[in-house]
Amino acid sequence: PKTAGTSVTTALTSAFPEDRTLTPYQLNNVRKHPPEIYMNAELMCGHFTHDVYGKRLPRQPDFILTFLREPVEHFVSLYFHLRIDPTFTYTTRLTEQKEFAEEIHLFTREHSIEDFLQSPFSRIFDNFQTRYLVRGLTSNYGDYSDAQLLPVAERLLLDLPYFGITERFDDSLALLESVMGLEKGLNLHRANRSRNKPRNFSLTNQAKAEIGVRTGVDTILYELAINAFNARLSAHHSAT
């Protein structure tokens, strides 16, 4: 979540037949649709856990991808998204407490990001990318600390056939085209940016430092991802 997923989805759906592309609604309501659409699907986009693949789909995906984002920017983007989304389901996936999404939404609407950082709500989003990557691809590791999750996240990330970097969006799409063997180029379009974020917004040094501490494990994961991404991109350029 909040790593340019909507933009990536827009780009990918332009390269696949519409009748073979599954929507998040179809993934969340499998019993309401004929099984043929799942057997014949070529693409599905959304923030889905391994349990969704294993329990709902008659045929498992053979290519899963994700994106990572610079951790401080990601935290800020999450904060502004929470202000406009009272049903942020990823909150409940990490906490298993459904009422939190509405409470957090109401709190962020009335409080600054500095106040948010002082609230217990904000702790849910510490090292969010590491937590979600692991718990989104496997249902294990529920009792692990963030530091214990890190090597699991690193392994899961590097085992994916592809991952992109939000800050390297153009390079990421070019590499994705190559890895997926897409003859038709992906359309570049940025979408769903933080609509509630003021243009003149800036973090105080204290808030930036606090977020840096809260996302320390994410930062290690992100740095590893940058190095691995550069290596994959270099190999791509050498092969073309």
Side-chain angles (χ1 to χ4, degrees):
K2 307 311 298 175
T3 62
T6 302
S7 299
V8 176
T9 296
T10 301
L12 282 173
T13 52
S14 68
F16 286 86
E18 184 177 355
D19 62 348
R20 290 180 179 266
T21 299
L22 298 181
T23 66
Y25 177 80
Q26 289 170 322
L27 263 295
N28 289 322
N29 296 274
V30 173
R31 294 182 180 180
K32 295 182 179 181
H33 303 279
E36 291 77 16
I37 69 169
Y38 303 97
M39 291 301 295
N40 297 327
E42 295 182 13
L43 173 70
M44 60 180 182
C45 299
H47 307 297
F48 295 112
T49 66
H50 180 72
D51 286 346
V52 169
Y53 305 140
K55 295 177 180 178
R56 300 183 188 176
L57 295 178
R59 182 168 63 88
Q60 300 303 294
D62 54 15
F63 189 99
I64 302 173
L65 65 92
T66 192
F67 267 66
L68 292 185
R69 185 174 183 179
E70 194 283 318
V72 174
E73 288 295 323
H74 184 263
F75 191 98
V76 172
S77 180
L78 274 173
Y79 164 77
F80 281 105
H81 186 78
L82 291 167
R83 297 184 72 174
I84 63 172
D85 187 355
T87 59
F88 190 59
T89 55
Y90 317 116
T91 304
T92 62
R93 287 184 184 174
L94 290 175
T95 66
E96 297 184 356
Q97 299 184 55
K98 294 182 179 180
E99 68 277 6
F100 268 12
E102 177 70 21
E103 289 184 47
I104 293 172
H105 166 66
L106 294 174
F107 184 91
T108 53
R109 285 188 63 182
E110 302 295 332
H111 293 83
S112 67
I113 193 169
E114 288 79 13
D115 292 337
F116 180 63
L117 284 166
Q118 298 304 312
S119 77
F121 290 135
S122 65
R123 288 293 180 181
I124 297 170
F125 306 98
D126 292 357
N127 297 309
F128 183 90
Q129 294 181 84
T130 299
R131 294 177 183 180
Y132 198 83
L133 178 63
V134 174
R135 294 169 185 165
L137 291 179
T138 173
S139 58
N140 299 324
Y141 310 105
D143 297 329
Y144 277 44
S145 68
D146 293 345
Q148 291 173 314
L149 288 176
L150 178 61
V152 182
E154 291 176 339
R155 174 177 56 80
L156 288 171
L157 185 71
L158 296 178
D159 282 349
L160 291 176
Y162 170 87
F163 61 86
I165 304 294
T166 303
E167 289 74 23
R168 302 278 296 280
F169 195 74
D170 292 6
D171 284 340
S172 294
L173 283 192
L175 185 58
L176 183 56
E177 289 178 359
S178 173
V179 172
M180 296 186 74
L182 297 176
E183 297 179 0
K184 182 180 178 181
L186 296 175
N187 294 326
L188 176 62
H189 175 68
R190 304 297 178 91
N192 199 30
R193 294 185 176 184
S194 297
R195 293 167 287 168
N196 208 35
K197 181 178 178 181
R199 291 186 177 182
N200 61 348
F201 172 80
S202 62
L203 279 174
T204 64
N205 291 335
Q206 182 177 357
K208 186 175 183 179
E210 176 67 18
I211 295 172
V213 172
R214 301 280 197 92
T215 60
V217 172
D218 271 2
T219 297
I220 297 172
L221 178 67
Y222 181 76
E223 291 173 351
L224 174 135
I226 287 288
N227 290 332
F229 178 82
N230 286 335
R232 293 184 181 191
L233 190 63
S234 178
H236 161 68
H237 288 321
S238 297
T240 57

